[in-house]
Amino acid sequence: MLRWYSRVMAAWLFGAVFMSSAACLAANDTEALRGVGLPYPAVTPGAALAFPRDHGAHPEFRTEWWYITGWLSDEAGVERGFQLTFFRVRPRIGEGSPSRFSPSQLMLAHAAVADPGKGRLLHAERAERSLPPLAGAGEAHTDVRIRDWSLTWSEAPDTPGVYRARVGAGEFAFDLELRPDGVPVLNGEGGYSRKAPDPKHASYYYSRPHLKVSGQLRAGQGSHRVTGTAWLDHEWSSEIMPADARGWDWIGINLNDGGALMAFRMRGDKDIPVWSAATLRDADGSLRTLEFDEVRFVPRREWRSLRSGATYPVEWSLRLAGTDDAPERTFRIVPLMDDQELDSRASTGAIYWEGAVRLFEGDTELREIGKGYLEMTGYAERLEM
């Protein structure tokens, strides 16, 4: 889904990076550092995504993210959620400077583990200017890193390629291999994903569901061998959030039968939908794209954070309209645990809910049909992007 960077985050991140960068610049670099770069390119329908190139970075666009979420099970069968996101931001500042310390590209990362044993998220953050090889985003394929945090693609002759995600933080760490199952799923119109009635508010967006995961996880003092299933989103855009939108709700679900479901809604004041869409991949690989009036999120149960005071609808019904060939479907979204709020006021200033969920379906008796992640933004305060 449309990941974010707020004005608060951008100001904080640029301010921190700018000060360290400016100290390294010669006096004759000052004007170049202040200079504004070329305009951002527009996101337009009909632009065909090309792989493996589009797995890599698109540094001319305003913002971009690689977003992995998933469920892990350890040796004792204990289930946990995990999340890793790398952001690349182009502030259009310092692009004329010859200095490699110029903050013309910025990198940010969020990582978290949803551990029911702790009853809350374990999370950490990183931020740097792009300075290869320490921090940056490669353009040929997925290769993003901030110091010892990384998400990279590797392959050898005659062997399937894999992603590798590495994170080390105070309360947790993981080193995971993620093996794709099939080709990328193009969301929207062949990868062109609208976010509002005005078609300029859009992104290029694809997903890779059903990544097979194996590796090591440390949560607290315990280290575990884990396996599981994950979801990768890669999205890039040049537009800011629509003026009448307050935030959004998004899910990415790996279905038990091998299918996959992505759905989101942009949400305005008083919970009024601004836009919504979904992509449903059946087990046989066939795709159905749903538009604004075919996707309906309905809150069912709320949870209030004692830390931020924000109230989140942590349990949902999701309705997808039927067609001549398929009936209407109604799903229930239920969290692994209620407290999966990520509070980053000490750094980026943003507060949002992002956590592991189960998906159920049924009329008189619900049955679990998948697992994935739910993201909810704009409940603590409107996001400014």
Side-chain angles (χ1 to χ4, degrees):
M1 167 48 191
L2 176 64
R3 294 287 303 180
W4 51 272
Y5 72 98
S6 67
R7 288 176 183 164
V8 173
M9 184 206 76
W12 167 80
L13 177 56
F14 174 69
V17 173
F18 177 86
M19 294 303 293
S20 61
S21 300
C24 300
L25 293 173
N28 60 4
D29 282 334
T30 302
E31 290 305 314
L33 182 61
R34 292 173 179 167
V36 176
L38 294 173
Y40 301 116
V43 174
T44 57
L49 301 190
F51 301 105
R53 166 62 191 93
D54 281 325
H55 293 310
H58 304 79
E60 68 275 20
F61 287 82
R62 180 194 295 264
T63 187
E64 182 168 19
W65 45 87
W66 295 259
Y67 173 45
I68 289 182
T69 58
W71 283 63
L72 302 173
S73 180
D74 66 17
E75 311 93 330
V78 175
E79 292 183 307
R80 300 176 179 87
F82 82 98
Q83 178 261 124
L84 172 62
T85 309
F86 281 92
F87 304 84
R88 178 205 54 77
V89 177
R90 177 192 169 206
R92 292 179 63 211
I93 296 174
E95 295 184 351
S97 172
S99 173
R100 66 192 298 262
F101 295 100
S102 173
S104 59
Q105 296 280 335
L106 308 178
M107 298 295 298
L108 177 79
H110 287 181
V113 171
D115 188 345
K118 302 291 184 181
R120 61 176 177 84
L121 280 188
L122 312 178
H123 63 88
E125 302 164 282
R126 292 239 170 129
E128 296 281 356
R129 64 183 175 275
S130 180
L131 186 63
L134 298 178
E139 296 183 40
H141 211 302
T142 306
D143 184 5
V144 287
R145 63 186 68 243
I146 300 179
R147 288 175 277 156
D148 60 335
W149 289 21
S150 62
L151 175 64
T152 58
W153 173 266
S154 63
E155 58 184 296
D158 303 321
T159 59
V162 297
Y163 295 98
R164 188 166 188 181
R166 295 177 176 175
V167 166
E171 289 188 294
F172 67 95
F174 51 78
D175 184 348
L176 305 172
E177 282 195 349
L178 307 101
R179 192 174 303 278
D181 174 21
V183 299
V185 174
L186 305 183
N187 295 303
E189 302 172 26
Y192 165 81
S193 175
R194 284 178 63 176
K195 311 300 184 193
D198 188 337
K200 77 175 185 179
H201 292 289
S203 67
Y204 295 121
Y205 177 21
Y206 70 85
S207 303
R208 304 204 76 171
H210 284 284
L211 298 170
K212 185 177 181 180
V213 186
S214 62
Q216 296 286 334
L217 168 71
R218 176 176 60 79
Q221 299 300 314
S223 184
H224 307 278
R225 185 75 184 172
V226 292
T227 58
T229 306
W231 179 292
L232 167 67
D233 271 357
H234 183 196
E235 195 165 2
W236 59 101
S237 179
S238 291
E239 278 299 323
I240 61 175
M241 191 167 71
D244 56 348
R246 178 180 176 86
W248 57 79
D249 309 300
W250 168 94
I251 58 166
I253 305 290
N254 289 310
L255 301 178
N256 296 342
D257 65 1
L261 172 62
M262 184 283 298
F264 72 88
R265 70 167 185 170
M266 301 296 292
R267 189 186 68 257
D269 290 332
K270 298 182 180 179
D271 205 37
I272 298 174
V274 174
W275 194 256
S276 58
T279 305
L280 178 61
R281 189 189 77 175
D282 289 334
D284 63 5
S286 59
L287 291 180
R288 181 186 172 200
T289 299
L290 295 95
E291 304 297 341
F292 174 63
D293 57 352
E294 299 177 302
V295 180
R296 185 182 179 196
F297 283 81
V298 180
R300 294 185 59 88
R301 183 175 63 83
E302 294 181 334
W303 168 81
R304 184 176 183 273
S305 169
L306 297 180
R307 293 183 299 274
S308 68
T311 297
Y312 302 93
V314 293
E315 189 172 322
W316 294 82
S317 289
L318 173 65
R319 297 175 184 172
L320 303 183
T323 67
D324 292 340
D325 300 321
E328 177 182 286
R329 300 183 71 177
T330 300
F331 305 98
R332 181 84 58 87
I333 302 166
V334 179
L336 172 65
M337 59 187 188
D338 286 356
D339 188 355
Q340 298 186 77
E341 182 185 56
L342 204 161
D343 184 347
S344 60
R345 283 178 293 187
S347 56
T348 66
I351 303 172
Y352 61 104
W353 196 102
E354 184 169 51
V357 296
R358 291 181 167 89
L359 189 71
F360 295 84
E361 187 176 23
D363 296 324
T364 58
E365 183 175 345
L366 293 175
R367 64 185 185 282
E368 184 177 326
I369 64 166
K371 295 176 182 176
Y373 255 64
L374 164 68
E375 179 185 69
M376 299 180 286
T377 69
Y379 287 93
E381 59 184 3
R382 184 188 185 275
L383 289 183
E384 297 290 340
M385 305 181 41

